[in-house]
Amino acid sequence: MLSSHWQPMADVNRLRSELDRLFGQVSGGNGTSRRGSFPLMNLWEDDSSLYVEAELPGFELDNLEIYVTGGNQLSISGERKQPEHEAGAWHRQERGFGKFRRTLDLPGDVDSEKVSANFSNGILTLTMPKSEAAKPRRIEVNAN
């Protein structure tokens, strides 16, 4: 026989999920959450460059703008256009559409003249060579 007991935690979890969706909260895999983080980005570095990957599914390359300003600030903006359906009615519309702009402070200065970008399968990958002043420099020590 099925239990007809009220399960308050199931209702609370369902409400939380709907509120997160409504207010645009994205939960990370490690239990952390971020508000208003679109597009989702990964940022890492090696000795010579900074790298950014941004998730931009459904975007057209012509609708994206990428700027590096002040040597250490990355700005990505764009627009995902809503598909037009001439006939029929929406039953569910969860994917976001419209304009966005996200600015990210980089952990060091980059050479904006040498930044390269690749867009493949909805992933924007930026390679940003560090400026010479930002690269680690080995100091030789002279002994007497």
Side-chain angles (χ1 to χ4, degrees):
M1 184 167 154
L2 292 174
S3 172
S4 61
H5 290 89
W6 178 49
Q7 297 177 337
M9 287 311 295
D11 289 342
V12 168
N13 288 336
R14 193 170 22 260
L15 176 63
R16 179 177 178 191
S17 176
E18 285 300 310
L19 288 172
D20 285 351
R21 186 184 63 78
L22 179 66
F23 290 108
Q25 184 168 347
V26 177
S27 296
N30 61 359
T32 62
S33 63
R34 300 173 301 276
R35 288 187 166 277
S37 298
F38 185 85
L40 296 176
M41 293 185 187
N42 292 335
L43 167 65
W44 72 97
E45 70 179 299
D46 60 21
D47 288 341
S48 62
S49 297
L50 297 172
Y51 305 91
V52 169
E53 287 178 337
E55 292 183 2
L56 294 163
F59 281 83
E60 298 290 330
L61 189 55
D62 293 342
N63 294 328
L64 295 175
E65 292 185 352
I66 305 157
Y67 297 97
V68 175
T69 56
N72 70 341
Q73 196 169 65
L74 172 67
S75 178
I76 299 176
S77 61
E79 180 177 11
R80 180 168 39 205
K81 305 211 184 228
Q82 183 171 358
E84 294 182 23
H85 298 286
E86 293 182 23
W90 288 100
H91 289 279
R92 181 176 295 267
Q93 189 174 10
E94 296 180 353
R95 293 184 62 215
F97 300 97
K99 294 181 180 184
F100 78 91
R101 177 180 208 86
R102 180 145 185 222
T103 301
L104 186 67
D105 289 327
L106 301 171
D109 287 347
V110 298
D111 185 344
S112 62
E113 297 294 322
K114 295 181 181 176
V115 173
S116 64
N118 183 42
F119 189 61
S120 177
N121 297 321
I123 304 294
L124 174 67
T125 304
L126 300 172
T127 302
M128 301 174 286
K130 293 179 181 177
S131 69
E132 288 302 317
K135 289 182 184 177
R137 202 175 90 217
R138 185 169 189 259
I139 307 298
E140 297 245 356
V141 179
N142 296 320
N144 293 358

PDB file of all heavy atoms in Angstrom, residues 84-120:
ATOM      1  N   GLU A  84      12.057  31.809 -33.594  1.00  0.00           N
ATOM      2  CA  GLU A  84      10.689  32.191 -33.952  1.00  0.00           C
ATOM      3  C   GLU A  84       9.955  30.954 -34.440  1.00  0.00           C
ATOM      4  O   GLU A  84      10.463  30.204 -35.262  1.00  0.00           O
ATOM      5  CB  GLU A  84      10.713  33.253 -35.046  1.00  0.00           C
ATOM      6  CG  GLU A  84      11.320  34.562 -34.572  1.00  0.00           C
ATOM      7  CD  GLU A  84      11.295  35.632 -35.636  1.00  0.00           C
ATOM      8  OE1 GLU A  84      10.453  35.543 -36.559  1.00  0.00           O
ATOM      9  OE2 GLU A  84      12.124  36.539 -35.542  1.00  0.00           O
ATOM     10  N   HIS A  85       8.784  30.760 -33.896  1.00  0.00           N
ATOM     11  CA  HIS A  85       7.929  29.662 -34.321  1.00  0.00           C
ATOM     12  C   HIS A  85       6.672  30.267 -34.914  1.00  0.00           C
ATOM     13  O   HIS A  85       5.916  30.943 -34.221  1.00  0.00           O
ATOM     14  CB  HIS A  85       7.578  28.750 -33.134  1.00  0.00           C
ATOM     15  CG  HIS A  85       8.786  28.119 -32.527  1.00  0.00           C
ATOM     16  ND1 HIS A  85       9.462  27.097 -33.130  1.00  0.00           N
ATOM     17  CD2 HIS A  85       9.459  28.372 -31.375  1.00  0.00           C
ATOM     18  CE1 HIS A  85      10.495  26.736 -32.381  1.00  0.00           C
ATOM     19  NE2 HIS A  85      10.520  27.501 -31.313  1.00  0.00           N
ATOM     20  N   GLU A  86       6.493  30.054 -36.197  1.00  0.00           N
ATOM     21  CA  GLU A  86       5.359  30.675 -36.880  1.00  0.00           C
ATOM     22  C   GLU A  86       4.027  30.063 -36.471  1.00  0.00           C
ATOM     23  O   GLU A  86       3.018  30.731 -36.439  1.00  0.00           O
ATOM     24  CB  GLU A  86       5.556  30.575 -38.385  1.00  0.00           C
ATOM     25  CG  GLU A  86       6.729  31.425 -38.859  1.00  0.00           C
ATOM     26  CD  GLU A  86       6.913  31.372 -40.355  1.00  0.00           C
ATOM     27  OE1 GLU A  86       5.948  31.070 -41.063  1.00  0.00           O
ATOM     28  OE2 GLU A  86       8.030  31.651 -40.801  1.00  0.00           O
ATOM     29  N   ALA A  87       4.053  28.789 -36.167  1.00  0.00           N
ATOM     30  CA  ALA A  87       2.813  28.131 -35.766  1.00  0.00           C
ATOM     31  C   ALA A  87       3.083  27.363 -34.476  1.00  0.00           C
ATOM     32  O   ALA A  87       4.197  26.960 -34.195  1.00  0.00           O
ATOM     33  CB  ALA A  87       2.342  27.169 -36.851  1.00  0.00           C
ATOM     34  N   GLY A  88       2.080  27.208 -33.654  1.00  0.00           N
ATOM     35  CA  GLY A  88       2.232  26.454 -32.423  1.00  0.00           C
ATOM     36  C   GLY A  88       2.306  27.346 -31.211  1.00  0.00           C
ATOM     37  O   GLY A  88       2.305  28.572 -31.306  1.00  0.00           O
ATOM     38  N   ALA A  89       2.381  26.700 -30.077  1.00  0.00           N
ATOM     39  CA  ALA A  89       2.417  27.429 -28.805  1.00  0.00           C
ATOM     40  C   ALA A  89       3.496  26.824 -27.913  1.00  0.00           C
ATOM     41  O   ALA A  89       3.736  25.622 -27.952  1.00  0.00           O
ATOM     42  CB  ALA A  89       1.052  27.326 -28.110  1.00  0.00           C
ATOM     43  N   TRP A  90       4.155  27.664 -27.129  1.00  0.00           N
ATOM     44  CA  TRP A  90       5.158  27.193 -26.173  1.00  0.00           C
ATOM     45  C   TRP A  90       4.473  26.407 -25.059  1.00  0.00           C
ATOM     46  O   TRP A  90       3.433  26.812 -24.556  1.00  0.00           O
ATOM     47  CB  TRP A  90       5.890  28.384 -25.535  1.00  0.00           C
ATOM     48  CG  TRP A  90       6.837  29.093 -26.451  1.00  0.00           C
ATOM     49  CD1 TRP A  90       6.608  30.260 -27.121  1.00  0.00           C
ATOM     50  CD2 TRP A  90       8.153  28.696 -26.796  1.00  0.00           C
ATOM     51  NE1 TRP A  90       7.696  30.607 -27.862  1.00  0.00           N
ATOM     52  CE2 TRP A  90       8.672  29.659 -27.680  1.00  0.00           C
ATOM     53  CE3 TRP A  90       8.950  27.608 -26.449  1.00  0.00           C
ATOM     54  CZ2 TRP A  90       9.950  29.572 -28.216  1.00  0.00           C
ATOM     55  CZ3 TRP A  90      10.223  27.534 -26.982  1.00  0.00           C
ATOM     56  CH2 TRP A  90      10.709  28.501 -27.855  1.00  0.00           C
ATOM     57  N   HIS A  91       5.088  25.312 -24.646  1.00  0.00           N
ATOM     58  CA  HIS A  91       4.637  24.564 -23.477  1.00  0.00           C
ATOM     59  C   HIS A  91       5.657  24.682 -22.349  1.00  0.00           C
ATOM     60  O   HIS A  91       5.311  24.554 -21.184  1.00  0.00           O
ATOM     61  CB  HIS A  91       4.415  23.085 -23.817  1.00  0.00           C
ATOM     62  CG  HIS A  91       3.215  22.878 -24.667  1.00  0.00           C
ATOM     63  ND1 HIS A  91       1.944  22.844 -24.155  1.00  0.00           N
ATOM     64  CD2 HIS A  91       3.098  22.729 -26.006  1.00  0.00           C
ATOM     65  CE1 HIS A  91       1.089  22.664 -25.139  1.00  0.00           C
ATOM     66  NE2 HIS A  91       1.770  22.603 -26.278  1.00  0.00           N
ATOM     67  N   ARG A  92       6.911  24.899 -22.720  1.00  0.00           N
ATOM     68  CA  ARG A  92       7.975  25.086 -21.732  1.00  0.00           C
ATOM     69  C   ARG A  92       9.055  25.917 -22.404  1.00  0.00           C
ATOM     70  O   ARG A  92       9.417  25.670 -23.537  1.00  0.00           O
ATOM     71  CB  ARG A  92       8.535  23.742 -21.300  1.00  0.00           C
ATOM     72  CG  ARG A  92       9.632  23.860 -20.255  1.00  0.00           C
ATOM     73  CD  ARG A  92      10.088  22.493 -19.787  1.00  0.00           C
ATOM     74  NE  ARG A  92       9.026  21.803 -19.101  1.00  0.00           N
ATOM     75  CZ  ARG A  92       8.829  21.831 -17.775  1.00  0.00           C
ATOM     76  NH1 ARG A  92       9.633  22.530 -17.028  1.00  0.00           N
ATOM     77  NH2 ARG A  92       7.842  21.162 -17.231  1.00  0.00           N
ATOM     78  N   GLN A  93       9.559  26.894 -21.678  1.00  0.00           N
ATOM     79  CA  GLN A  93      10.629  27.733 -22.209  1.00  0.00           C
ATOM     80  C   GLN A  93      11.597  28.019 -21.069  1.00  0.00           C
ATOM     81  O   GLN A  93      11.422  28.952 -20.299  1.00  0.00           O
ATOM     82  CB  GLN A  93      10.061  29.031 -22.797  1.00  0.00           C
ATOM     83  CG  GLN A  93      11.086  29.826 -23.544  1.00  0.00           C
ATOM     84  CD  GLN A  93      10.491  31.039 -24.237  1.00  0.00           C
ATOM     85  OE1 GLN A  93       9.355  31.412 -24.025  1.00  0.00           O
ATOM     86  NE2 GLN A  93      11.292  31.660 -25.082  1.00  0.00           N
ATOM     87  N   GLU A  94      12.648  27.183 -20.960  1.00  0.00           N
ATOM     88  CA  GLU A  94      13.611  27.288 -19.863  1.00  0.00           C
ATOM     89  C   GLU A  94      14.919  27.933 -20.298  1.00  0.00           C
ATOM     90  O   GLU A  94      15.635  28.458 -19.466  1.00  0.00           O
ATOM     91  CB  GLU A  94      13.870  25.902 -19.270  1.00  0.00           C
ATOM     92  CG  GLU A  94      12.644  25.297 -18.629  1.00  0.00           C
ATOM     93  CD  GLU A  94      12.894  23.917 -18.037  1.00  0.00           C
ATOM     94  OE1 GLU A  94      14.005  23.358 -18.239  1.00  0.00           O
ATOM     95  OE2 GLU A  94      11.977  23.396 -17.392  1.00  0.00           O
ATOM     96  N   ARG A  95      15.256  27.864 -21.570  1.00  0.00           N
ATOM     97  CA  ARG A  95      16.498  28.452 -22.047  1.00  0.00           C
ATOM     98  C   ARG A  95      16.350  29.963 -22.114  1.00  0.00           C
ATOM     99  O   ARG A  95      15.338  30.473 -22.563  1.00  0.00           O
ATOM    100  CB  ARG A  95      16.848  27.916 -23.426  1.00  0.00           C
ATOM    101  CG  ARG A  95      17.185  26.432 -23.388  1.00  0.00           C
ATOM    102  CD  ARG A  95      17.628  25.923 -24.727  1.00  0.00           C
ATOM    103  NE  ARG A  95      18.846  26.622 -25.116  1.00  0.00           N
ATOM    104  CZ  ARG A  95      19.118  26.949 -26.380  1.00  0.00           C
ATOM    105  NH1 ARG A  95      18.281  26.683 -27.338  1.00  0.00           N
ATOM    106  NH2 ARG A  95      20.234  27.576 -26.670  1.00  0.00           N
ATOM    107  N   GLY A  96      17.377  30.651 -21.653  1.00  0.00           N
ATOM    108  CA  GLY A  96      17.341  32.105 -21.656  1.00  0.00           C
ATOM    109  C   GLY A  96      17.686  32.690 -23.011  1.00  0.00           C
ATOM    110  O   GLY A  96      18.469  32.118 -23.772  1.00  0.00           O
ATOM    111  N   PHE A  97      17.118  33.820 -23.309  1.00  0.00           N
ATOM    112  CA  PHE A  97      17.390  34.534 -24.544  1.00  0.00           C
ATOM    113  C   PHE A  97      17.594  35.998 -24.204  1.00  0.00           C
ATOM    114  O   PHE A  97      17.146  36.475 -23.179  1.00  0.00           O
ATOM    115  CB  PHE A  97      16.225  34.380 -25.536  1.00  0.00           C
ATOM    116  CG  PHE A  97      15.971  32.956 -25.909  1.00  0.00           C
ATOM    117  CD1 PHE A  97      14.995  32.223 -25.271  1.00  0.00           C
ATOM    118  CD2 PHE A  97      16.742  32.344 -26.875  1.00  0.00           C
ATOM    119  CE1 PHE A  97      14.775  30.907 -25.599  1.00  0.00           C
ATOM    120  CE2 PHE A  97      16.530  31.020 -27.210  1.00  0.00           C
ATOM    121  CZ  PHE A  97      15.535  30.298 -26.572  1.00  0.00           C
ATOM    122  N   GLY A  98      18.272  36.694 -25.093  1.00  0.00           N
ATOM    123  CA  GLY A  98      18.480  38.115 -24.883  1.00  0.00           C
ATOM    124  C   GLY A  98      19.955  38.458 -24.819  1.00  0.00           C
ATOM    125  O   GLY A  98      20.824  37.660 -25.161  1.00  0.00           O
ATOM    126  N   LYS A  99      20.237  39.668 -24.353  1.00  0.00           N
ATOM    127  CA  LYS A  99      21.603  40.181 -24.295  1.00  0.00           C
ATOM    128  C   LYS A  99      22.235  39.883 -22.939  1.00  0.00           C
ATOM    129  O   LYS A  99      21.547  39.802 -21.931  1.00  0.00           O
ATOM    130  CB  LYS A  99      21.607  41.691 -24.540  1.00  0.00           C
ATOM    131  CG  LYS A  99      21.168  42.060 -25.934  1.00  0.00           C
ATOM    132  CD  LYS A  99      21.219  43.553 -26.144  1.00  0.00           C
ATOM    133  CE  LYS A  99      20.773  43.861 -27.570  1.00  0.00           C
ATOM    134  NZ  LYS A  99      20.882  45.271 -27.873  1.00  0.00           N
ATOM    135  N   PHE A 100      23.564  39.758 -22.939  1.00  0.00           N
ATOM    136  CA  PHE A 100      24.310  39.594 -21.698  1.00  0.00           C
ATOM    137  C   PHE A 100      25.624  40.347 -21.814  1.00  0.00           C
ATOM    138  O   PHE A 100      26.083  40.668 -22.913  1.00  0.00           O
ATOM    139  CB  PHE A 100      24.581  38.109 -21.400  1.00  0.00           C
ATOM    140  CG  PHE A 100      25.710  37.552 -22.230  1.00  0.00           C
ATOM    141  CD1 PHE A 100      27.011  37.577 -21.761  1.00  0.00           C
ATOM    142  CD2 PHE A 100      25.468  37.028 -23.486  1.00  0.00           C
ATOM    143  CE1 PHE A 100      28.050  37.083 -22.536  1.00  0.00           C
ATOM    144  CE2 PHE A 100      26.488  36.538 -24.261  1.00  0.00           C
ATOM    145  CZ  PHE A 100      27.788  36.563 -23.784  1.00  0.00           C
ATOM    146  N   ARG A 101      26.214  40.622 -20.688  1.00  0.00           N
ATOM    147  CA  ARG A 101      27.563  41.197 -20.614  1.00  0.00           C
ATOM    148  C   ARG A 101      28.185  40.690 -19.330  1.00  0.00           C
ATOM    149  O   ARG A 101      27.567  40.770 -18.266  1.00  0.00           O
ATOM    150  CB  ARG A 101      27.529  42.717 -20.615  1.00  0.00           C
ATOM    151  CG  ARG A 101      28.921  43.322 -20.459  1.00  0.00           C
ATOM    152  CD  ARG A 101      28.855  44.857 -20.474  1.00  0.00           C
ATOM    153  NE  ARG A 101      30.100  45.379 -20.970  1.00  0.00           N
ATOM    154  CZ  ARG A 101      30.418  45.567 -22.252  1.00  0.00           C
ATOM    155  NH1 ARG A 101      29.564  45.281 -23.185  1.00  0.00           N
ATOM    156  NH2 ARG A 101      31.579  46.054 -22.601  1.00  0.00           N
ATOM    157  N   ARG A 102      29.393  40.141 -19.424  1.00  0.00           N
ATOM    158  CA  ARG A 102      30.101  39.678 -18.238  1.00  0.00           C
ATOM    159  C   ARG A 102      31.525  40.188 -18.304  1.00  0.00           C
ATOM    160  O   ARG A 102      32.200  40.058 -19.316  1.00  0.00           O
ATOM    161  CB  ARG A 102      30.104  38.145 -18.163  1.00  0.00           C
ATOM    162  CG  ARG A 102      30.840  37.650 -16.937  1.00  0.00           C
ATOM    163  CD  ARG A 102      30.256  36.425 -16.355  1.00  0.00           C
ATOM    164  NE  ARG A 102      30.947  36.101 -15.116  1.00  0.00           N
ATOM    165  CZ  ARG A 102      31.297  34.893 -14.755  1.00  0.00           C
ATOM    166  NH1 ARG A 102      30.990  33.865 -15.522  1.00  0.00           N
ATOM    167  NH2 ARG A 102      31.925  34.696 -13.616  1.00  0.00           N
ATOM    168  N   THR A 103      31.955  40.784 -17.200  1.00  0.00           N
ATOM    169  CA  THR A 103      33.307  41.324 -17.098  1.00  0.00           C
ATOM    170  C   THR A 103      34.026  40.575 -15.987  1.00  0.00           C
ATOM    171  O   THR A 103      33.471  40.346 -14.918  1.00  0.00           O
ATOM    172  CB  THR A 103      33.269  42.835 -16.797  1.00  0.00           C
ATOM    173  OG1 THR A 103      32.545  43.474 -17.862  1.00  0.00           O
ATOM    174  CG2 THR A 103      34.654  43.414 -16.712  1.00  0.00           C
ATOM    175  N   LEU A 104      35.252  40.214 -16.277  1.00  0.00           N
ATOM    176  CA  LEU A 104      36.040  39.411 -15.355  1.00  0.00           C
ATOM    177  C   LEU A 104      37.391  40.085 -15.144  1.00  0.00           C
ATOM    178  O   LEU A 104      38.062  40.440 -16.119  1.00  0.00           O
ATOM    179  CB  LEU A 104      36.228  38.024 -15.989  1.00  0.00           C
ATOM    180  CG  LEU A 104      36.880  36.923 -15.208  1.00  0.00           C
ATOM    181  CD1 LEU A 104      35.987  36.510 -14.046  1.00  0.00           C
ATOM    182  CD2 LEU A 104      37.097  35.725 -16.124  1.00  0.00           C
ATOM    183  N   ASP A 105      37.772  40.293 -13.882  1.00  0.00           N
ATOM    184  CA  ASP A 105      39.108  40.797 -13.587  1.00  0.00           C
ATOM    185  C   ASP A 105      40.080  39.635 -13.686  1.00  0.00           C
ATOM    186  O   ASP A 105      39.903  38.609 -13.028  1.00  0.00           O
ATOM    187  CB  ASP A 105      39.163  41.414 -12.187  1.00  0.00           C
ATOM    188  CG  ASP A 105      38.406  42.727 -12.110  1.00  0.00           C
ATOM    189  OD1 ASP A 105      38.384  43.459 -13.111  1.00  0.00           O
ATOM    190  OD2 ASP A 105      37.825  43.014 -11.047  1.00  0.00           O
ATOM    191  N   LEU A 106      41.108  39.815 -14.498  1.00  0.00           N
ATOM    192  CA  LEU A 106      42.115  38.771 -14.683  1.00  0.00           C
ATOM    193  C   LEU A 106      43.165  38.874 -13.588  1.00  0.00           C
ATOM    194  O   LEU A 106      43.409  39.961 -13.060  1.00  0.00           O
ATOM    195  CB  LEU A 106      42.751  38.916 -16.072  1.00  0.00           C
ATOM    196  CG  LEU A 106      41.772  38.828 -17.242  1.00  0.00           C
ATOM    197  CD1 LEU A 106      42.475  39.203 -18.550  1.00  0.00           C
ATOM    198  CD2 LEU A 106      41.178  37.438 -17.329  1.00  0.00           C
ATOM    199  N   PRO A 107      43.814  37.757 -13.247  1.00  0.00           N
ATOM    200  CA  PRO A 107      44.804  37.783 -12.159  1.00  0.00           C
ATOM    201  C   PRO A 107      46.126  38.447 -12.534  1.00  0.00           C
ATOM    202  O   PRO A 107      47.024  38.538 -11.700  1.00  0.00           O
ATOM    203  CB  PRO A 107      45.007  36.304 -11.827  1.00  0.00           C
ATOM    204  CG  PRO A 107      44.613  35.572 -13.051  1.00  0.00           C
ATOM    205  CD  PRO A 107      43.555  36.408 -13.722  1.00  0.00           C
ATOM    206  N   GLY A 108      46.269  38.915 -13.771  1.00  0.00           N
ATOM    207  CA  GLY A 108      47.479  39.602 -14.190  1.00  0.00           C
ATOM    208  C   GLY A 108      47.245  40.272 -15.531  1.00  0.00           C
ATOM    209  O   GLY A 108      46.225  40.058 -16.189  1.00  0.00           O
ATOM    210  N   ASP A 109      48.202  41.105 -15.941  1.00  0.00           N
ATOM    211  CA  ASP A 109      48.086  41.805 -17.216  1.00  0.00           C
ATOM    212  C   ASP A 109      48.383  40.865 -18.376  1.00  0.00           C
ATOM    213  O   ASP A 109      49.257  39.992 -18.277  1.00  0.00           O
ATOM    214  CB  ASP A 109      49.050  42.984 -17.273  1.00  0.00           C
ATOM    215  CG  ASP A 109      48.607  44.134 -16.385  1.00  0.00           C
ATOM    216  OD1 ASP A 109      47.454  44.115 -15.924  1.00  0.00           O
ATOM    217  OD2 ASP A 109      49.408  45.061 -16.164  1.00  0.00           O
ATOM    218  N   VAL A 110      47.652  41.057 -19.470  1.00  0.00           N
ATOM    219  CA  VAL A 110      47.879  40.271 -20.677  1.00  0.00           C
ATOM    220  C   VAL A 110      48.201  41.208 -21.828  1.00  0.00           C
ATOM    221  O   VAL A 110      47.910  42.403 -21.786  1.00  0.00           O
ATOM    222  CB  VAL A 110      46.650  39.391 -21.030  1.00  0.00           C
ATOM    223  CG1 VAL A 110      46.386  38.391 -19.919  1.00  0.00           C
ATOM    224  CG2 VAL A 110      45.423  40.220 -21.314  1.00  0.00           C
ATOM    225  N   ASP A 111      48.825  40.655 -22.868  1.00  0.00           N
ATOM    226  CA  ASP A 111      49.146  41.414 -24.068  1.00  0.00           C
ATOM    227  C   ASP A 111      47.922  41.358 -24.979  1.00  0.00           C
ATOM    228  O   ASP A 111      47.708  40.376 -25.693  1.00  0.00           O
ATOM    229  CB  ASP A 111      50.368  40.801 -24.747  1.00  0.00           C
ATOM    230  CG  ASP A 111      50.843  41.609 -25.939  1.00  0.00           C
ATOM    231  OD1 ASP A 111      50.079  42.472 -26.435  1.00  0.00           O
ATOM    232  OD2 ASP A 111      51.979  41.366 -26.382  1.00  0.00           O
ATOM    233  N   SER A 112      47.107  42.396 -24.968  1.00  0.00           N
ATOM    234  CA  SER A 112      45.841  42.387 -25.699  1.00  0.00           C
ATOM    235  C   SER A 112      46.033  42.258 -27.214  1.00  0.00           C
ATOM    236  O   SER A 112      45.122  41.823 -27.916  1.00  0.00           O
ATOM    237  CB  SER A 112      45.012  43.623 -25.366  1.00  0.00           C
ATOM    238  OG  SER A 112      45.696  44.792 -25.758  1.00  0.00           O
ATOM    239  N   GLU A 113      47.202  42.615 -27.717  1.00  0.00           N
ATOM    240  CA  GLU A 113      47.471  42.498 -29.158  1.00  0.00           C
ATOM    241  C   GLU A 113      47.647  41.044 -29.588  1.00  0.00           C
ATOM    242  O   GLU A 113      47.524  40.729 -30.768  1.00  0.00           O
ATOM    243  CB  GLU A 113      48.739  43.292 -29.520  1.00  0.00           C
ATOM    244  CG  GLU A 113      48.624  44.779 -29.268  1.00  0.00           C
ATOM    245  CD  GLU A 113      47.600  45.450 -30.162  1.00  0.00           C
ATOM    246  OE1 GLU A 113      47.489  45.069 -31.351  1.00  0.00           O
ATOM    247  OE2 GLU A 113      46.886  46.343 -29.669  1.00  0.00           O
ATOM    248  N   LYS A 114      47.901  40.142 -28.646  1.00  0.00           N
ATOM    249  CA  LYS A 114      48.186  38.746 -28.990  1.00  0.00           C
ATOM    250  C   LYS A 114      47.111  37.775 -28.519  1.00  0.00           C
ATOM    251  O   LYS A 114      47.281  36.565 -28.590  1.00  0.00           O
ATOM    252  CB  LYS A 114      49.535  38.340 -28.396  1.00  0.00           C
ATOM    253  CG  LYS A 114      50.698  39.110 -29.000  1.00  0.00           C
ATOM    254  CD  LYS A 114      51.999  38.669 -28.403  1.00  0.00           C
ATOM    255  CE  LYS A 114      53.160  39.465 -28.986  1.00  0.00           C
ATOM    256  NZ  LYS A 114      54.430  39.125 -28.343  1.00  0.00           N
ATOM    257  N   VAL A 115      45.981  38.277 -28.038  1.00  0.00           N
ATOM    258  CA  VAL A 115      44.896  37.405 -27.579  1.00  0.00           C
ATOM    259  C   VAL A 115      44.291  36.687 -28.775  1.00  0.00           C
ATOM    260  O   VAL A 115      44.063  37.297 -29.822  1.00  0.00           O
ATOM    261  CB  VAL A 115      43.813  38.214 -26.829  1.00  0.00           C
ATOM    262  CG1 VAL A 115      42.608  37.348 -26.512  1.00  0.00           C
ATOM    263  CG2 VAL A 115      44.390  38.817 -25.552  1.00  0.00           C
ATOM    264  N   SER A 116      44.062  35.386 -28.628  1.00  0.00           N
ATOM    265  CA  SER A 116      43.408  34.634 -29.690  1.00  0.00           C
ATOM    266  C   SER A 116      42.156  33.960 -29.137  1.00  0.00           C
ATOM    267  O   SER A 116      42.072  33.667 -27.939  1.00  0.00           O
ATOM    268  CB  SER A 116      44.358  33.595 -30.295  1.00  0.00           C
ATOM    269  OG  SER A 116      44.715  32.626 -29.328  1.00  0.00           O
ATOM    270  N   ALA A 117      41.177  33.736 -30.023  1.00  0.00           N
ATOM    271  CA  ALA A 117      39.904  33.154 -29.612  1.00  0.00           C
ATOM    272  C   ALA A 117      39.507  32.060 -30.593  1.00  0.00           C
ATOM    273  O   ALA A 117      39.725  32.181 -31.799  1.00  0.00           O
ATOM    274  CB  ALA A 117      38.823  34.231 -29.557  1.00  0.00           C
ATOM    275  N   ASN A 118      38.915  31.000 -30.037  1.00  0.00           N
ATOM    276  CA  ASN A 118      38.395  29.898 -30.836  1.00  0.00           C
ATOM    277  C   ASN A 118      36.990  29.591 -30.332  1.00  0.00           C
ATOM    278  O   ASN A 118      36.756  29.564 -29.125  1.00  0.00           O
ATOM    279  CB  ASN A 118      39.309  28.679 -30.688  1.00  0.00           C
ATOM    280  CG  ASN A 118      38.853  27.524 -31.551  1.00  0.00           C
ATOM    281  OD1 ASN A 118      38.467  27.700 -32.696  1.00  0.00           O
ATOM    282  ND2 ASN A 118      38.875  26.334 -30.990  1.00  0.00           N
ATOM    283  N   PHE A 119      36.058  29.383 -31.251  1.00  0.00           N
ATOM    284  CA  PHE A 119      34.673  29.094 -30.887  1.00  0.00           C
ATOM    285  C   PHE A 119      34.281  27.785 -31.551  1.00  0.00           C
ATOM    286  O   PHE A 119      34.217  27.699 -32.780  1.00  0.00           O
ATOM    287  CB  PHE A 119      33.768  30.238 -31.335  1.00  0.00           C
ATOM    288  CG  PHE A 119      32.362  30.150 -30.826  1.00  0.00           C
ATOM    289  CD1 PHE A 119      32.099  30.172 -29.467  1.00  0.00           C
ATOM    290  CD2 PHE A 119      31.297  30.074 -31.701  1.00  0.00           C
ATOM    291  CE1 PHE A 119      30.799  30.119 -28.989  1.00  0.00           C
ATOM    292  CE2 PHE A 119      29.988  30.024 -31.241  1.00  0.00           C
ATOM    293  CZ  PHE A 119      29.749  30.044 -29.880  1.00  0.00           C
ATOM    294  N   SER A 120      34.044  26.752 -30.747  1.00  0.00           N
ATOM    295  CA  SER A 120      33.722  25.441 -31.285  1.00  0.00           C
ATOM    296  C   SER A 120      32.732  24.738 -30.373  1.00  0.00           C
ATOM    297  O   SER A 120      32.948  24.658 -29.153  1.00  0.00           O
ATOM    298  CB  SER A 120      35.012  24.617 -31.411  1.00  0.00           C
ATOM    299  OG  SER A 120      34.735  23.320 -31.858  1.00  0.00           O
TER     300      SER A 120
END
